[in-house]
Amino acid sequence: QPRSRAQMLLAALLCQLALVSCVSCAHTAPRSNGAPLARSETTGRGAVFRLRGGVGLLGESAELFDACLLASDDVSVVAFVRACHHFISVLALFGKYAKVLIGATEENLRIVEGATGDDSGASSLPSARAFLAWDKSRGKHLPGGVLAKDSPAEALLWLRRGISLYLGTFERHLESPSSFREEARHGYREQVLPYNGWIMQKAAGANFMLAPTWDWVVQHGKLTMSAAQLDADLKAWVAVVKEVLARLAALHKSLDLEDVRKA
């Protein structure tokens, strides 16, 4: 598609802003106090991890995503929302690079929670399959996976894709470790690029300039208990999150709610 002058100027501005931020601003990320999470009710197939003081945020995150898994290849929406809220604390450890995704995650969570907390009947739906079927039954989506803007199904879709960016990044680190920036670029190309238009691609490219190093992330937060433990924690997180996202993707597709249009 032809690129308008406005699109070209916006892309150039985003790149300049990213470069200025890299030069003038040090990465900052809030430190976790390391306190263990309260044990929630069991919603999954049995946790692999125990939430305790000796586990980093990545281990806690894997525990919470594991609790999303229900029988019959389904996912608990309530548990998934809880896991996504906690994942924001993981994202925060990646500094300015994660700021955009944190904002998008918070907004999509607001939409999903708004649906599960209203009096329309969605609040009684325990699973993603039932939740998506309910949203489809409202008649606001079009055939071919064309989702209504700001709908619960669309919000759940983009929560999944946002997390998949880090899934792809972490998988790349385990398979072919390099710099976090290059691993993040690979994760983006594999997981999110197919759904991004030209402007979003340029914005993502600018955001990569803000990517921290793995050493910085491990030293400045509670992602894992030690650098030596990083790969083991990443493997455990990838294994369970990959299953959760695969189930959600299958549910979206089975209900004709997989919107593949470019944003």
Side-chain angles (χ1 to χ4, degrees):
Q1 296 180 351
R3 300 171 184 170
S4 69
R5 179 176 176 81
Q7 287 176 322
M8 296 177 69
L9 288 173
L10 176 59
L13 177 60
L14 287 169
C15 291
Q16 289 175 357
L17 287 174
L19 288 171
V20 169
S21 297
C22 285
V23 172
S24 63
C25 299
H27 291 295
T28 57
R31 293 174 180 264
S32 166
N33 60 14
L37 298 177
R39 180 67 177 171
S40 60
E41 65 272 17
T42 300
T43 54
R45 55 180 170 79
V48 176
F49 297 88
R50 300 277 74 81
L51 298 186
R52 58 188 185 276
V55 175
L57 285 175
L58 203 59
E60 292 178 347
S61 179
E63 162 78 13
L64 290 170
F65 278 113
D66 184 75
C68 299
L69 298 172
L70 300 174
S72 303
D73 296 326
D74 211 338
V75 173
S76 165
V77 174
V78 173
F80 184 69
V81 165
R82 185 183 301 119
C84 288
H85 273 297
H86 179 272
F87 189 60
I88 290 174
S89 66
V90 175
L91 292 175
L93 299 181
F94 291 85
K96 293 179 181 295
Y97 167 73
K99 186 175 181 180
V100 173
L101 183 55
I102 288 174
T105 300
E106 290 174 338
E107 177 62 18
N108 287 320
L109 282 171
R110 182 189 64 77
I111 294 171
V112 172
E113 288 178 307
T116 57
D118 64 20
D119 58 1
S120 63
S123 59
S124 63
L125 302 176
S127 74
R129 178 180 283 108
F131 180 78
L132 289 171
W134 161 80
D135 191 28
K136 184 174 182 177
S137 72
R138 299 189 302 155
K140 296 188 176 183
H141 307 303
L142 298 177
V146 179
L147 301 184
K149 183 175 175 56
D150 296 332
S151 64
E154 184 192 51
L156 195 61
L157 176 77
W158 281 101
L159 280 173
R160 190 189 91 211
R161 287 177 179 169
I163 296 169
S164 75
L165 171 61
Y166 278 76
L167 175 63
T169 301
F170 294 170
E171 282 188 306
R172 184 64 172 180
H173 178 78
L174 294 170
E175 295 167 358
S176 181
S178 57
S179 68
F180 175 79
R181 180 180 296 172
E182 290 308 310
E183 292 161 0
R185 288 183 191 276
H186 178 86
Y188 173 76
R189 287 194 299 268
E190 291 290 314
Q191 302 290 341
V192 183
L193 177 61
Y195 313 109
N196 275 182
W198 186 80
I199 292 180
M200 292 299 293
Q201 290 177 33
K202 292 301 180 182
N207 197 50
F208 289 129
M209 301 299 294
L210 303 176
T213 65
W214 276 113
D215 286 344
W216 185 89
V217 172
V218 172
Q219 291 171 8
H220 287 78
K222 296 288 186 179
L223 181 68
T224 186
M225 297 310 294
S226 69
Q229 185 66 22
L230 177 62
D231 280 9
D233 285 354
L234 287 174
K235 286 178 182 177
W237 189 90
V238 163
V240 67
V241 172
K242 195 170 188 176
E243 175 67 16
V244 171
L245 299 190
R247 290 188 182 192
L248 288 174
L251 291 171
H252 269 98
K253 291 173 183 176
S254 69
L255 292 166
D256 193 26
L257 296 174
E258 183 73 8
D259 198 330
V260 297
R261 293 175 297 166
K262 293 184 181 294

